[in-house]
Amino acid sequence: MRKNDIFERVKRVHIIGIGGIGVSGLAYILLKEGKIISGSDTNLTPITKALEKKGVKIFSPQREENITKDIELIIYSQAIFPDNPEYKKGKQLKIPMMSYPEGVGAIMKNKRGITISGTHGKTTTSALVVHLLKKNKLSPSFLVGGKIIGLGNSGVGKSDFLVVEGCEYKRSFLNYSPEIAVLTNIEKDHLDYYYDIREIKSAFWEFCNNVKKDGFIVYCNEDKNVVEVVKKVKREKISYGFENGDFTGRNIVIKKGRTEFDCYFKGKKISHLKLKIWGKHNVLNSLACIAVGNIIGLPFGDIKKAVETFDGVHRRCEIIGNEKGILIIDDYGHHPTEIKATLSTLKTVFPGRRLIVVFQPHQYSRTRFLLKDFARSFSNADKIVVPDIYFVRDSLKEKKLVNAEILVEKIRKNGKEALYLPTFEEIVEYLLEVLKVNDIVLTLGAGPVNLVGRELLEKLRGN
């Protein structure tokens, strides 16, 4: 059974790990396609409860008896390994199986796919494109790696448009054959999987060659790795950047509450835009969205209205609260480049205010491979507090090779004030002791470090 027509042939689908952000979104899309869905997860959550209300049979815990002979297809999240009891039972019963990215790729073959990829910026750019399509009544389905403010991380639309955030980890995005592909940037990351930057660029080149023959590649002309990759691909291309590109953003001004810039197309000024999101990096993200709108034939005035009304994504420079003169902000940044961009933006938006950063490293392997880059990325912070590294996807062997204390020492050697406090509770107590009126606290990382900001806010309120 070929994967591109499997959904035409099956009715009953079981999803292992259905509680994941992306996987749950896929379940909703399959429900709309008329499939009977069941699924399992290790824990029951608001996500699984919402699926139950839509008629999905949810199992917890995961057990082999959950897999029955009448199941025609099993989809499993990338967090599921071959020793999972349901996975093993599916193999035993010879039920067709596919990973989450394979499932999304199979659906995309019959859709107008728009896939946004890159080391950074892909969630915000994906969210911008979703907002653009919805604002112009094009009703897309979408699967995004973060929660779009007012929309969530996934949705089922009425049109053929399918917007997907394409992750390069384990070459997941090679399962997608979009009509439009966006490349935001290419840097060293996921070095627990890739050997080096050359191998990463090779994966992106393969992804670009998966774009439909009559499709488009939208790419950032500011990134040398991206430029090197796309020049070897024979597809229609539209570029964007600050100075060089088909669409460019110039005369950028970052003010409290907004980012403004002049938009040029092929060297000619076409408009002045006012974004509700901060930072030069978001000018690039917006330009990528503008290019996508141009490709699908939207008038520029309609594109501009959508981009200017975009509220952002949760955990991307999200203001958590402002209490007793202390501003608390949360951001998902977990790569040195993202950290530098976020801190630079906050120092521009809030000049003269002390910036205290609580950074939780995400993965031991990423911390080890990019240790020097992480240590240099906090130049715009006044204090840095680091808890234990968030343990995910790493082996116990990897865990022994680096720790948060090593990172703190490296940050200090770069001339910054840094402190290691293992737990969130200790960090909150420390912050309550040292904070002054007009300080900014930024929680930073892909793990649950945002809980520090929320707990701090409650303590400041006296709760």
Side-chain angles (χ1 to χ4, degrees):
M1 192 179 288
R2 299 196 314 273
K3 285 171 182 170
N4 62 341
D5 62 5
I6 194 166
F7 290 117
E8 297 173 12
R9 303 188 186 190
V10 303
K11 186 72 174 176
R12 178 133 190 245
V13 181
H14 182 81
I15 303 177
I16 310 174
I18 199 168
I21 286 182
V23 185
S24 60
L26 176 59
Y28 285 116
I29 291 174
L30 292 174
L31 280 172
K32 190 202 172 191
E33 299 282 330
K35 309 305 177 187
I36 299 170
I37 307 297
S38 62
S40 66
D41 217 302
T42 52
N43 297 299
L44 297 176
T45 66
I47 292 176
T48 60
K49 289 175 183 175
L51 286 165
E52 280 188 303
K53 288 181 180 178
K54 292 290 185 179
V56 176
K57 175 70 174 176
I58 300 291
F59 297 95
S60 183
Q62 294 168 337
R63 299 179 295 189
E64 65 175 47
E65 51 261 42
N66 299 339
I67 306 299
T68 53
K69 291 181 179 179
D70 58 337
I71 294 172
E72 298 170 276
L73 173 67
I74 292 174
I75 297 173
Y76 55 92
S77 84
Q78 288 197 295
I80 300 301
F81 294 97
D83 61 352
N84 178 280
E86 293 185 11
Y87 186 100
K88 288 196 292 185
K89 186 62 177 292
K91 285 289 187 183
Q92 180 187 330
L93 294 177
K94 296 183 179 179
I95 298 172
M97 302 176 72
M98 60 169 58
S99 68
Y100 162 72
E102 288 173 329
V104 175
I107 289 175
M108 188 180 287
K109 288 183 184 295
N110 298 315
K111 301 281 189 182
R112 297 189 66 183
I114 303 173
T115 302
I116 293 84
S117 67
T119 309
H120 325 291
K122 53 184 177 286
T123 299
T124 300
T125 306
S126 299
L128 272 159
V129 172
V130 170
H131 180 74
L132 170 74
L133 296 176
K134 289 182 77 69
K135 194 76 175 173
N136 286 280
K137 296 180 169 54
L138 292 174
S139 189
S141 296
F142 59 95
L143 297 166
V144 178
K147 290 185 178 180
I148 307 169
I149 294 174
L151 293 177
N153 65 282
S154 65
V156 181
K158 298 176 182 178
S159 75
D160 286 336
F161 281 110
L162 174 61
V163 181
V164 175
E165 179 179 332
C167 181
E168 72 274 22
Y169 180 62
K170 290 188 175 179
R171 292 180 166 83
S172 296
F173 61 175
L174 298 189
N175 291 286
Y176 309 146
S177 299
E179 180 179 313
I180 301 172
V182 178
L183 268 70
T184 58
N185 41 60
I186 300 173
E187 282 196 68
K188 288 187 293 183
D189 199 9
H190 302 300
L191 294 173
D192 56 326
Y193 177 78
Y194 291 104
Y195 180 72
D196 58 15
I197 188 65
R198 287 185 298 176
E199 192 178 6
I200 296 170
K201 287 192 288 186
S202 175
F204 276 93
W205 177 82
E206 286 187 66
F207 167 68
C208 289
N209 276 286
N210 282 348
V211 174
K212 291 176 179 176
K213 294 294 184 183
D214 58 348
F216 285 82
I217 295 173
V218 175
Y219 70 96
C220 180
N221 212 36
E222 298 294 320
D223 190 286
K224 65 178 183 179
N225 289 325
V226 167
V227 172
E228 184 181 332
V229 166
V230 299
K231 72 180 180 183
K232 301 173 183 176
V233 181
K234 294 182 179 178
R235 295 291 187 282
E236 290 288 329
K237 301 163 194 169
I238 292 183
S239 60
Y240 63 93
F242 293 127
E243 294 297 331
N244 300 306
D246 296 308
F247 286 97
T248 53
R250 305 178 189 177
N251 305 317
I252 300 167
V253 177
I254 302 172
K255 299 178 180 179
K256 190 171 185 178
R258 67 179 185 271
T259 302
E260 299 184 21
F261 69 97
D262 294 327
C263 182
Y264 285 73
F265 179 62
K266 295 187 182 293
K268 181 180 178 181
K269 181 180 175 181
I270 53 175
S271 188
H272 181 77
L273 280 82
K274 298 179 180 180
L275 309 179
K276 296 168 78 173
I277 50 179
W278 301 328
K280 289 183 68 176
H281 56 293
N282 278 321
V283 172
L284 292 177
N285 295 336
S286 300
L287 290 170
C289 177
I290 290 167
V292 171
N294 178 261
I295 290 169
I296 63 179
L298 292 173
F300 185 81
D302 294 340
I303 297 172
K304 176 180 176 177
K305 285 179 185 176
V307 171
E308 289 189 325
T309 56
F310 175 66
D311 288 318
V313 181
H314 289 293
R315 301 212 63 198
R316 270 65 178 180
C317 265
E318 180 183 8
I319 294 178
I320 303 301
N322 195 347
E323 191 70 23
K324 293 183 171 59
I326 295 162
L327 182 63
I328 303 171
I329 299 174
D330 179 54
D331 192 87
Y332 194 76
H334 54 284
H335 185 282
T337 300
E338 296 165 345
I339 293 169
K340 284 189 282 189
T342 298
L343 299 190
S344 175
T345 296
L346 291 180
K347 276 296 187 182
T348 302
V349 175
F350 302 103
R353 296 183 68 169
R354 189 169 69 149
L355 179 57
I356 300 174
V357 177
V358 180
F359 171 61
Q360 183 184 35
H362 186 262
Q363 281 191 276
Y364 284 82
S365 56
R366 178 184 281 121
T367 306
R368 182 169 67 87
F369 286 124
L370 302 177
L371 186 62
K372 291 182 180 178
D373 295 320
F374 275 120
R376 290 192 291 258
S377 64
F378 294 96
S379 59
N380 277 306
D382 296 290
K383 281 181 183 286
I384 305 100
V385 186
V386 183
D388 284 326
I389 298 170
Y390 187 58
F391 184 50
V392 58
R393 278 200 327 240
D394 286 314
S395 65
L396 291 174
K397 179 182 176 181
E398 187 69 51
K399 192 175 180 180
K400 295 176 181 178
L401 298 175
V402 72
N403 57 49
E405 291 171 283
I406 292 173
L407 174 59
V408 164
E409 186 57 36
K410 293 286 186 183
I411 295 171
R412 287 172 178 165
K413 286 183 178 178
N414 279 276
K416 305 305 296 185
E417 184 181 341
L419 176 67
Y420 165 66
L421 291 173
T423 68
F424 291 171
E425 291 79 7
E426 290 171 280
I427 291 172
V428 171
E429 291 305 316
Y430 169 75
L431 292 173
L432 289 169
E433 290 177 9
V434 302
L435 284 172
K436 302 174 183 177
V437 173
N438 217 35
D439 279 351
I440 296 172
V441 175
L442 170 68
T443 55
L444 195 60
V449 68
N450 59 314
L451 297 176
V452 170
R454 298 193 181 279
E455 177 66 17
L456 176 64
L457 185 61
E458 288 300 306
K459 293 278 190 180
L460 289 171
R461 287 173 175 168
N463 296 332

